[in-house]
Amino acid sequence: MKKKSIIVFLLLTCSFVFAQNNSKIKVEYSDFADINQLEVPDALLLTGNVRLSHEDIKMTCNKAYYFQNENYIKAFGNVKMIQGDTLTLSSKYAEYNGVVKNAYFSGGVVLNSPESTLTTDTIYFDRNTQEAYFNSNGTIVNKNNTLKSKAGRYYVREKKYRFLSSVELKNPDYTIKSNHLDYKTTQGNSLLKGPSTIVGKETFIYTENGHYNGKSNTGFFLQKSYIKYKDRLIEGDSLYYDRKTEFASGTNNVKITDSINKAIIKGHYGEIYKQKDSVYITKHASIRYKVESDSMFVYAKKIFLTGKTGERLVRGQKDVRFFQTDMSGKCDSIHSDQKRSLTQLIGKPILWNSENQLTGDLMHLIGNNKTEKIDSLKVLNNTFIISKDTIGNGYNQVKGVNLYSKFKDNKIYETDVVKNAEVLFYLRNDNNELIGINKSVCSKIKMTMDGNNKIEILTLYDNPDGDIYPEKDLPENARLLRGFVWRGDERIKTKEEIYPPDEVELDKQIVAESNKKFEKEKVIQEIEKNKLEAHVNGDEFYEEIFRKYNNRLITDYTGAIILVRNCKFVYPKVQTPNPVEVYQKKHPKYKEIIKFDKKLRNWKTLPGKPYDGGLFEGNEDIGSIEFSEKEHLTIDEIFKLYNNRFIIDKNGVEMLVRNEKFWFPENVNSTKILKSKKPTYKKVVRINQNIWNTSNMFTYRGFYDGGRFTGNEND
């Protein structure tokens, strides 16, 4: 009974003391309380239904050690921390520091927010920034989504998770994998950075920068992105995707690969409706069809493809142009029916087959779906064939109402021109000597071509009327048939020539802007990568220490005393007098030791590692450091801004910048000698990025390695 009275007295005393200071942790209830200097020195031992509070949080557990002087709690068994209606943390063990408002939880940790539940082994929670972070594998459940990651953070105010390293988000309809995923629980929105994939039942999406909304099932992807269906691949600078309607669109440098139809579709804007089997492409739009060992290239202002394989319709509108090795042409519009194997050239069509120019009101190209080759050609109304004479300046001409040609191996080998047929043909012997000009009219003309598409046999049917004239007897003005128009300067001779001049300029402009944007994005990505690496490795925390506490003595929770000096951690030598006391005496301004509740000595600070500054005796001068204002600097900017300056990079490498080179000390005294020469050398510039690496040494500028300096060199 006496022991119980003592416990009640202690509890009442604690409550009274804590009530006087809102910053103190308050003990609201405990079945038992005791003080045992042998078991836990300087601590109040609380057991049984322990309830604690600090400002706006409540904490319960089975047992707790309360270190009153340090305002610090260690909690054991069924630990639970509740922060209003925003957060609940449960674990087997926890520590809470009321001074810095940081908490540590371990053993079956569960973090509950109104929108999601996170389970992991260890969590650190900073109440000041309202951030909880883990690096021991975590699983998050948010409605239909399950996310897993090796490391991550939860931003309480933003209701956002940031997952780092081996992230996986599983949904009944798709799975997302990434190394950097920001997930907003209220919106279901995933921001993806770095190589990432979204895999569905019939789709595969890859991106290195984009976001996907799980609620609306829509995504927007940038940076090396593509969407892959079973038989179709969509690439572009920026891609939009709607999973519900199975609609996708791309902007700038769009490329759609159709493996079934052996087609590659390009342009700077495109749309795909998977359910309708349709594609729309414009802005420098083209299709490339693979035909055996050759390819057919088609351009139009707008191109539409609709229908399933075998029943596909292809339509090109406005200024259609096409090219194949032995054939090219133009027309106002094109209509191709795969089922009928019929391609119609509509509106002022013109066709060049080898050296022959064909024109008419309407052209039909008929193919063979089995052989995938052209079978025949029809030219309806106002047929006109022109080819240059092989030697002279004249033109061979055939005209009539309609034309019917047959192909062999994609080359015309036989042609019939019917109704009101006319011919003007330069006749030459085996020595290519002109023997006359045939100018005749008839009902029908049949031409047989050789393997080079040259007329081998010319036959006139049904009462031909005409004659073979010696060259001198046929005047120049009589050597052109009515309706003659030679358009040889328009002939498309390469696949690049299918694009009209205005489209070429449009393409140049878009590609230039795209490249500029890509280069800018590369810089942003590099910054994000550095931030990500810093986030994962804890470098953000170290950088904050370097900026705030240069020349200060600090200590972590292990009790180790460390000197922060020019972005390094320097440790006291084991000697007498004590280096810490010597330093405090020499620099009274920095006498106070700053306490941190984290362990600062790890693989990053060990000998030979980036943050290792060696040992100090206490009589060293004050370190002087300047931090670069710009977040990311190019090599050229470093040379321009910091010539004849010492810099220290993210890897802890200190180097001298001089004459667009990086120089290194010959020995331990080289740097001291140089810094003693000029005040500018004394202040080291911190550039928080990787500078010294192999890729920076081999570029268009040659070697950046300037070698070693002794300190005695002239500027």
Side-chain angles (χ1 to χ4, degrees), residues 568 602-614 650-653:
K568 300 276 188 177
N602 57 27
W603 71 276
K604 282 274 187 178
T605 61
L606 293 175
K609 297 302 180 181
Y611 302 141
D612 171 37
K650 184 178 179 180
N651 293 317
V653 180

Side-chain angles (χ1 to χ4, degrees), residues 117-166:
T117 300
L118 162 66
T119 57
T120 185
D121 187 62
T122 303
I123 278 183
Y124 300 87
F125 178 49
D126 187 334
R127 289 187 57 221
N128 301 295
T129 61
Q130 287 296 295
E131 294 178 17
Y133 56 97
F134 65 92
N135 54 14
S136 55
N137 293 315
T139 301
I140 297 88
V141 177
N142 169 243
K143 296 184 179 178
N144 294 328
N145 299 319
T146 301
L147 299 95
K148 293 183 179 181
S149 177
K150 287 184 178 179
R153 291 198 178 207
Y154 177 62
Y155 299 85
V156 180
R157 296 188 185 99
E158 298 174 55
K159 298 180 180 178
K160 179 183 80 173
Y161 282 99
R162 171 166 289 172
F163 302 106
L164 309 167
S165 183
S166 303

Side-chain angles (χ1 to χ4, degrees), residues 226-242:
Y226 63 81
I227 302 170
K228 187 176 183 181
Y229 295 118
K230 184 179 180 181
D231 55 6
R232 210 164 290 160
L233 177 69
I234 310 143
E235 303 168 77
D237 286 1
S238 62
L239 299 174
Y240 171 79
Y241 176 66
D242 187 324

Side-chain angles (χ1 to χ4, degrees), residues 1 43 92 115 122 128 202 248 373 391 488 510 527 534 618 646 661:
M1 188 73 183
K92 294 178 182 178
E115 301 82 17
T122 303
N128 301 295
E202 296 184 357
K373 294 180 180 180
I391 296 178
I510 291 175
I527 294 170
F646 279 101
K661 300 281 185 180

Side-chain angles (χ1 to χ4, degrees), residues 407-447:
F407 282 73
K408 184 181 290 183
D409 296 327
N410 291 322
K411 292 181 179 180
I412 296 174
Y413 76 92
E414 187 177 274
T415 297
D416 291 334
V417 178
V418 298
K419 293 183 181 179
N420 304 326
E422 298 180 50
V423 63
L424 188 145
F425 199 80
Y426 288 76
L427 303 175
R428 295 184 179 276
N429 60 23
D430 293 340
N431 295 322
N432 279 327
E433 296 171 341
L434 183 64
I435 58 177
I437 302 173
N438 184 352
K439 185 175 183 181
S440 305
V441 296
C442 60
S443 297
K444 175 183 176 183
I445 298 172
K446 179 180 283 292
M447 293 175 287

Side-chain angles (χ1 to χ4, degrees), residues 32 188 279 671 697:
F32 300 96
V279 176
T671 302
M697 298 311 110

